[in-house]
């Protein structure tokens, strides 16, 4: 079975491009890669782009870009997916140009209104144009592990899981089930790709206004989490979750509200799975310390 290599890029539809530009560059530490009519792209490493924003009032995820190591592996994936009844459309040359990939395919998510894109051969910038962050002391953790992870919600967990496992070839990392408030249970499943980032996608069944709960970016030095946290405080950002630690992927992170309303998890220390020795577990806590909820800028201890 030909399976996806990693989650290589994400595309969000956003209503306020200008606010997003300063948030991505000056809070998250990304590099503006390109600005065109109705779109922005950002670099996080030696790829031409990892995060793409398109003007769209939905303020939500538009596409998840799944990378393959070669055109041959992508072609085998397309054949086996179509045999399973999944309808994959070839990317137009215009879309491939915008995504800065050699080529690919796309299909609608089987449950939620966003798209999965499958591509090979991402474009690299010239050698004399290395990734430069105005703020990072270290770097984003990307490369073969991909851009980070996403946590979309689904209205049909069984259907979503069938797609992620049987079509994309993802593997379950673990589960977390916690009653976070009276009668309000979060039951999330985390899945990894063959390159082993603890999860490239986490999924939970919920009826919420937005598809995307959060997008996670990981940095290579804990200081960069603290420095980004201070930049977010200074920028007056709302923290969905203060700094804390997840028991499953071992990520120390905070969750800051993006200009689109969904959250960005900014973390350090996420583990990489070796399938030869990995054991799937069910955890009873989303966080084993910290991650205090809903701290507004006005009540933030650094602002009083
Ligand atoms: Fe996360």
């Amino acid at each position: 079975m030909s399976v996806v290599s990693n989650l290589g890029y994400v595309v969000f539809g956003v209503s306020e491009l200008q606010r997003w530009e300063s948030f991505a560059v000056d809070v998250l530490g990304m590099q503006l890669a390109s600005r065109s009519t109705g779109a922005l792209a950002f670099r996080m490493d030696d790829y031409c782009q990892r995060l793409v924003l398109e003007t769209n009032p939905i303020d939500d995820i538009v596409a998840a870009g799944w990378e393959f190591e070669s055109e041959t592996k992508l072609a085998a994936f397309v054949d086996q997916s179509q045999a399973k009844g999944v309808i994959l459309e070839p990317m137009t040359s215009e879309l491939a140009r915008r995504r800065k990939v050699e080529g690919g395919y796309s299909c609608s998510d089987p449950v939620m209104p966003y798209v999965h894109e499958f591509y090979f051969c991402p474009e690299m910038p010239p050698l004399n144009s290395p990734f430069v962050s105005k703020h990072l002391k270290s770097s984003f953790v990307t490369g073969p592990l991909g851009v980070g992870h996403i946590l979309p919600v689904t209205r049909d967990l069984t259907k979503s899981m069938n797609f992620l496992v049987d079509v994309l070839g993802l593997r379950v990392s673990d589960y977390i089930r916690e009653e976070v408030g009276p009668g309000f249970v979060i039951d999330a499943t985390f899945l990894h790709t063959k390159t082993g980032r603890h999860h490239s996608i986490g999924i939970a069944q919920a009826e919420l206004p937005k598809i995307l709960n959060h997008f996670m970016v990981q940095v290579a030095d804990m200081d960069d989490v603290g420095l980004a946290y201070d930049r977010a405080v200074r920028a007056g950002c709302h923290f969905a979750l203060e700094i804390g630690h997840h028991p499953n992927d071992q990520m120390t992170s905070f969750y800051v509200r993006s200009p689109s309303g969904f959250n960005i998890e900014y973390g350090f220390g996420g583990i990489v799975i070796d399938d030869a020795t990995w054991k799937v577990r069910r955890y009873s806590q989303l966080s084993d310390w910290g991650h205090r909820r809903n701290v507004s800028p006005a009540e933030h201890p650094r602002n009083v």
Side-chain angles (χ1 to χ4, degrees):
M1 181 172 166
S2 185
V3 299
V4 302
S5 173
N6 62 76
L7 178 68
Y9 63 74
V10 286
V11 183
F12 300 146
V14 312
S15 56
E16 295 190 74
L17 276 182
Q18 209 164 12
R19 272 187 70 205
W20 256 103
E21 181 174 338
S22 60
F23 178 72
V25 171
D26 293 322
V27 176
L28 305 181
M30 295 179 182
Q31 177 187 357
L32 181 66
S34 63
R35 186 190 286 116
S36 55
T37 310
L40 294 174
F42 297 91
R43 287 182 65 180
M44 294 170 62
D45 58 11
D46 58 355
Y47 279 32
C48 277
Q49 60 189 32
R50 288 285 197 174
L51 167 64
V52 177
L53 306 178
E54 299 172 347
T55 301
N56 186 326
I58 61 168
D59 280 308
D60 211 331
I61 187 166
V62 168
W66 300 98
E67 184 169 304
F68 283 77
E69 298 99 325
S70 68
E71 186 172 11
T72 312
K73 288 186 176 169
L74 175 56
F77 169 80
V78 170
D79 286 346
Q80 77 198 17
S81 300
Q82 286 177 338
K84 290 172 185 166
V86 179
I87 299 164
L88 288 161
E89 300 285 345
M91 274 188 187
T92 61
S93 54
E94 193 273 331
L95 181 60
R97 186 185 55 74
R98 281 197 280 129
R99 297 291 187 256
K100 295 197 180 295
V101 298
E102 192 62 24
Y105 291 80
S106 66
C107 71
S108 299
D109 183 82
V111 181
M112 303 301 283
Y114 73 107
V115 167
H116 296 271
E117 295 174 352
F118 307 98
Y119 70 93
F120 70 99
C121 196
E123 187 180 327
M124 300 289 136
L127 267 185
N128 62 1
S129 178
F131 169 67
V132 178
S133 168
K134 276 165 64 179
H135 298 288
L136 286 192
K137 175 184 167 189
S138 63
S139 57
F140 288 109
V141 177
T142 54
L145 301 182
V147 65
H149 69 235
I150 52 173
L151 199 146
V153 296
T154 177
R155 297 201 169 92
D156 186 336
L157 186 62
T158 304
K159 211 167 175 180
S160 290
M161 285 295 293
N162 286 344
F163 177 74
L164 295 172
V165 173
D166 296 340
V167 179
L168 271 58
L170 308 190
R171 299 157 200 183
V172 172
S173 309
D174 40 43
Y175 307 91
I176 303 182
R177 189 173 198 280
E178 180 180 1
E179 187 171 354
V180 294
F184 183 56
V185 175
I186 293 180
D187 193 347
T189 303
F190 302 86
L191 300 113
H192 61 281
T193 67
K194 63 196 276 186
T195 54
R197 184 190 289 279
H198 175 277
H199 56 285
S200 289
I201 187 166
I203 196 146
Q205 183 152 340
E207 298 269 348
L208 294 173
K210 284 190 190 297
I211 304 165
L212 190 64
N213 173 271
H214 70 269
F215 167 50
M216 188 285 306
V217 295
Q218 184 175 339
V219 284
D221 188 318
M222 186 60 206
D223 280 349
D224 272 321
V225 176
L227 290 164
Y229 176 87
D230 279 356
R231 293 195 299 274
V233 171
R234 282 197 299 273
C237 294
H238 178 101
F239 289 88
L241 298 177
E242 282 280 345
I243 287 181
H245 183 263
H246 288 302
N248 60 339
D249 65 354
Q250 300 290 312
M251 188 81 76
T252 303
S253 60
F254 64 86
Y255 289 64
V256 62
R257 183 82 37 90
S258 77
S260 288
F262 56 77
N263 300 314
I264 304 295
E265 179 182 9
Y266 204 95
F268 167 79
I271 59 172
V272 174
I273 286 175
D274 175 358
D275 277 305
T277 54
W278 186 252
K279 285 193 172 59
V280 178
R281 295 176 175 85
R282 177 174 286 282
Y283 293 86
S284 54
Q285 290 179 297
L286 288 160
S287 309
D288 37 24
W289 58 263
H291 285 154
R292 193 163 70 93
R293 285 173 187 279
N294 291 319
V295 180
S296 70
E299 67 172 316
H300 198 279
R302 296 290 295 268
N303 275 349
V304 293

